[in-house]
């Protein structure tokens, strides 16, 4: 005999799974989804107040000025950065790299150690980019821009969206722009698995685009899913 507590738990899991499927479908096809206006309203209500959602430039500047993202350079974030660098160097050794949402330049530091032909870091935060521009690195440039409106004027061997895709209003559209920039190259997307929004976005991308390889990285209490897409 099944008790009411078990029934409630099962029903709760079913509802959670159904919501994740709806979010995945929305993130994958956006406004092309039947009834998308209603779905969008529900998704936006669910996203409200969460940390990995679009935020204004001023908020990013405040966080970088206060050192809110300094922990990314620590050992606790080492594993998924190492996987990204490994993919880039194995699949496009010494190639050109576009880092979308470069932040304080942690990925650049890792890539610089193994070499690249050219590196471009793009971030919306003036604070983050200003700190990076104080260095004089050959073959590296740092641009303050909303990546959705950034026009690089060239293609790249590797485009990286490391923990940044969730912060765009239309992740699918942003990802498609990156695919076009990485013509004949690769796009590497890394997402924090503890984020339901990130899981939904990445699940939609994997279902709709050409995946070359992927790795799930676990370090301490955290885990990341790193997926390589063909450009």
């Amino acid at each position: 005999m099944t008790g009411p507590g078990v029934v409630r738990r099962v029903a709760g899991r079913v509802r959670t799974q159904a919501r994740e499927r709806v979010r995945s479908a929305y993130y994958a096809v956006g406004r092309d989804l039947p009834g998308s206006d209603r779905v969008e309203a529900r998704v936006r209500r669910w996203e409200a107040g969460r940390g990995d959602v679009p935020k204004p430039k001023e908020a990013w500047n405040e966080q970088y000025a206060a050192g809110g993202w300094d922990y990314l350079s620590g050992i606790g974030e080492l594993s998924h950065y190492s996987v990204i660098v490994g993919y880039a160097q194995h699949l496009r050794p010494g190639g050109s790299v576009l880092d979308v949402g470069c932040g304080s330049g942690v990925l650049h530091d890792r890539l610089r150690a193994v070499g690249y032909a050219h590196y471009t870091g793009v971030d919306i935060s003036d604070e983050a980019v200003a700190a990076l521009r104080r260095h004089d690195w050959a073959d590296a440039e740092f641009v303050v821009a909303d990546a959705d409106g950034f026009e690089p004027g060239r293609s790249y061997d590797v485009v990286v969206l490391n923990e940044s895709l969730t912060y765009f209003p239309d992740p699918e559209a942003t990802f498609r722009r990156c695919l076009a920039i990485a013509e004949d190259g690769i796009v590497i997307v890394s997402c924090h698995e503890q984020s339901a929004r990130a899981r939904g976005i990445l699940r939609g991308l994997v279902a709709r685009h050409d995946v070359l390889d992927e790795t799930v990285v676990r370090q301490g209490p955290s885990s990341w899913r790193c997926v390589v897409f063909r450009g």
Side-chain angles (χ1 to χ4, degrees):
M1 185 174 180
T2 302
V6 174
V7 172
R8 284 195 296 270
R9 287 195 294 273
V10 171
R13 284 197 294 270
V14 170
R15 286 194 296 271
T16 298
Q17 291 169 359
R19 285 194 291 266
E20 287 223 4
R21 284 195 293 270
V22 169
R23 287 195 293 269
S24 294
Y26 175 78
Y27 291 135
V29 298
R31 294 187 179 276
D32 295 331
L33 188 70
S36 61
D37 289 345
R38 185 170 62 255
V39 173
E40 180 178 20
R42 290 187 178 184
V43 170
R44 297 309 180 208
R45 283 198 300 271
W46 174 81
E47 291 176 343
R50 296 178 184 271
D52 56 347
V53 298
K55 62 183 70 175
K57 181 175 184 173
E58 293 73 21
W60 288 110
N61 281 332
E62 289 175 5
Q63 289 175 3
Y64 278 108
W69 296 98
D70 290 352
Y71 72 93
L72 293 176
S73 61
I75 195 170
E77 299 282 324
L78 178 63
S79 56
H80 67 109
Y81 280 101
S82 298
V83 168
I84 293 169
V85 172
Y87 274 136
Q89 287 304 296
H90 181 76
L91 296 169
R92 295 293 186 276
S96 56
V97 180
L98 174 63
D99 187 1
V100 179
C102 66
S104 56
V106 177
L107 181 60
H108 170 259
D109 290 346
R110 306 284 194 267
L111 287 167
R112 187 163 57 93
V114 297
Y116 49 71
H118 181 81
Y119 170 96
T120 301
V122 180
D123 202 279
I124 197 172
S125 170
D126 305 279
E127 288 284 340
V129 173
L132 291 168
R133 284 177 173 169
R134 296 190 189 107
H135 302 277
D136 184 20
W137 287 309
D139 301 317
E141 61 177 331
F142 301 93
V143 181
V144 178
D146 181 339
D148 275 339
F150 174 65
E151 297 292 344
R154 55 168 294 173
S155 62
Y156 286 81
D157 297 307
V158 181
V159 177
V160 180
L161 291 148
N162 177 37
E163 306 301 316
S164 61
L165 190 56
T166 59
Y167 295 105
F168 290 93
D170 188 342
E172 172 72 15
T174 300
F175 177 78
R176 287 182 180 275
R177 288 193 74 246
C178 291
L179 280 181
I181 293 170
E183 184 180 4
D184 298 324
I186 58 173
V187 177
I188 304 174
V189 180
S190 175
C191 284
H192 196 275
E193 284 204 308
Q194 280 61 59
S195 162
R197 172 173 164 81
R199 289 197 305 271
I201 290 170
L202 196 48
R203 188 180 294 117
L205 296 183
V206 168
R208 292 174 61 85
H209 300 283
D210 189 4
V211 174
L212 180 59
D213 196 53
E214 68 172 280
T215 301
V216 175
V217 183
R218 302 187 186 280
Q219 185 173 6
S222 299
S223 60
W224 298 264
R225 186 180 181 187
C226 301
V227 184
V228 184
F229 297 87
R230 297 182 193 274

